[in-house]
Amino acid sequence: MTSINKFLFWILGVALILTNVYVFIHSINSSNKINFYEQQIKTLHTENIKLENKVFGLDSLRYAASMAAKLNFNQEAQPVFLDNLIYARSQ
């Protein structure tokens, strides 16, 4: 081989090594970002479960009954029966 071919071969080898190092460092940075986002997803998931349970608790009839008792909404309405002849019905 001539000296120019050897020189080009070494330049190509060094370029490939540098490219490999760059890709390796970039993949390490990408994996760090992926781990960070996975931790964020886990944190948001647990927070979502807590909020979901809180919403289900606030939406329950037991909570509504306790709030009604606290706000003095315990007065029961008299039911209206249409079987009585107090109200006129169209024939």
Side-chain angles (χ1 to χ4, degrees):
M1 283 204 315
T2 63
S3 63
I4 294 175
N5 287 341
K6 287 182 184 179
F7 180 72
L8 290 176
F9 180 74
W10 285 106
I11 294 292
L12 180 64
V14 169
L16 288 174
I17 290 171
L18 291 176
T19 304
N20 191 18
V21 168
Y22 172 76
V23 168
F24 181 71
I25 291 172
H26 187 67
S27 67
I28 289 174
N29 288 336
S30 295
S31 93
N32 287 339
K33 287 180 184 178
I34 288 170
N35 288 334
F36 172 75
Y37 289 127
E38 282 181 353
Q39 289 297 327
Q40 290 291 333
I41 288 171
K42 287 179 184 178
T43 304
L44 290 174
H45 181 69
T46 55
E47 185 178 339
N48 188 24
I49 289 173
K50 289 177 187 176
L51 290 174
E52 215 172 84
N53 290 335
K54 189 174 182 181
V55 165
F56 286 141
L58 293 176
D59 198 30
S60 70
L61 292 176
R62 185 179 300 148
Y63 177 75
S66 69
M67 287 303 292
K70 194 181 287 185
L71 297 173
N72 294 327
F73 289 154
N74 290 336
Q75 182 181 11
E76 295 180 9
Q78 294 296 325
V80 176
F81 296 104
L82 295 179
D83 293 336
N84 298 342
L85 297 177
I86 299 171
Y87 300 102
R89 293 187 298 184
S90 64
Q91 299 279 340

